[in-house]
Amino acid sequence: MTGQGTARSPPAEPAATAPAVPCFYRVISRREDTSDTVTLELTEPARPSHLIPAFAPGQFAMLTAFGVGEVPISVSGLGDNGGGRARRLEHTLRAVGAVTRALHAAQPGSLIGVRGPFGTSWDVTSAAGRDIVIVAGGIGLAPLRSVVLTALADRPSYGRIVLLVGARTPDDLLYAGELERWRRDGVEVAVTVDRADTGWSGAVGLVTALIEPARLAPGNSVAFVCGPDIMMRFTADALAARGIPVHRIRVSLERNMRCGAGWCGHCQLGPLLVCRDGPVVGYDRAAALMRVREL
Ligand SMILES: Cc1cc2nc3c(=O)[nH]c(=O)nc-3n(C[C@H](O)[C@H](O)[C@H](O)COP(=O)(O)OP(=O)(O)OC[C@H]3O[C@@H](n4cnc5c(N)ncnc54)[C@H](O)[C@@H]3O)c2cc1C
Ligand code: FES
C-alpha cells in the first residue's frame, strides 16, 4: 500500500432536487390551532438523501404520511430557507380524510415525507408600493398567512395591509393569537363567522360583507384570495366590481393531485395543470375555469 488513492474525497453534496422522491423531514413542533387543524413545523434531516429547494409563499409540498398516502399542502409560514434550501417548513392542515388525519396526528419526533416545492407563488413582492388586500375563507387562511408574514417582514414597502377572514364558527377561526399580534403590527383585520354562539360579539355573515366597510383603494390594491371555490368566485367578483383589475386579483386553485409536478395530468383544469401553472393564478385567467366542475 502506497497510500496512493486512499485520500478520502469530500462527501458528495446530495442532488439538488428529486421531485419524485420524498425526503424524510422530522416534525419538531405541533400546534393545535382548532379542534381539527394543526400547524406542523418540519425540519430537514441532518443527512438529507437529496436537497429540497426553498419554498416561496403560495407554493405547496406533497406531504406523505407513510403507509397512508400523500397530499398537497401549502406552506403556511416563511420557514428557514438558508442556503436556498428548505431547512425548515411550516404547514397548517385540516383533518378531512385518511391522509390529512394521519398527518394531523403526527407528533414531534415523527417523520413525514416531503416533495417539492411545487407550483406558482403569491409573488407578494410584486405588490410593493401598493395596498395588500387578503381575503381568506376557512383553511384558506393557511396559505395566506405567508402573504401577511412576507408583507410584515418588509412593512415599509407596502401600503395598507387589509386582512378579511371568514370562518364557520368562532371556534374554527385559525391563528386567533396571531390575528391579535398582526392587528398590533398595523394589519387591518376584520373577521366574520357563518354561525355564532352567545360569546361572539363580532360580525356574522359572508366574508364578502367585509369588503365594503374596508374602504379599499381599488386603483392601488393587489388582492390575494383563498378559500372554497365558491367563496373565491364571489369574493373575486366583488373585488372586481369595486374596481380592482382582475389581473391584480390572485386566487389559489385547488384540484385533486397525484404527481404534483406536471407529469400525470390529474389536476388538469382547462388548459392549466394546476400543480404546475397554479395553484396561484390571476383571476383574469381563473374566472372562466373556476366555473368548470371537477370530475
Ligand atoms: C395546492 C393545494 C394546496 C393545499 N393546501 C392545503 C393546506 O395548506 N392545508 C390543508 O388543510 N389542505 C390543503 N389542501 C387540501 C388537501 O390537499 C386536502 O384536504 C387533502 O388532499 C385531503 O386528502 P385526504 O386523503 O385527507 O382526504 P380525502 O379522503 O381525499 O377526502 C376526505 C373527504 O374530505 C373531502 N375533502 C377533500 N379535500 C377537502 C378540503 N380541502 N376541504 C374540505 N373537504 C375536503 C373529500 O371530498 C372527502 O369527502 C391543498 C390542496 C391543494 C390542491
Ligand atoms: S398532479 Fe400530476 S400533473 Fe398535476
Side-chain angles (χ1 to χ4, degrees), residues 60 71-74 92-94 96-100 139 254-255:
F60 66 94
V71 288
I73 301 289
S74 303
T92 302
L93 56 98
R94 185 147 67 96
V96 296
V99 183
T100 45
I139 189 71
E254 211 178 280
R255 283 298 177 276

Side-chain angles (χ1 to χ4, degrees), residues 256-268 273-276:
N256 286 331
M257 291 183 184
R258 287 289 177 272
C259 71
W263 298 327
C264 71
H266 214 85
C267 64
Q268 182 160 9
L273 291 177
V274 173
C275 69
R276 184 193 66 193

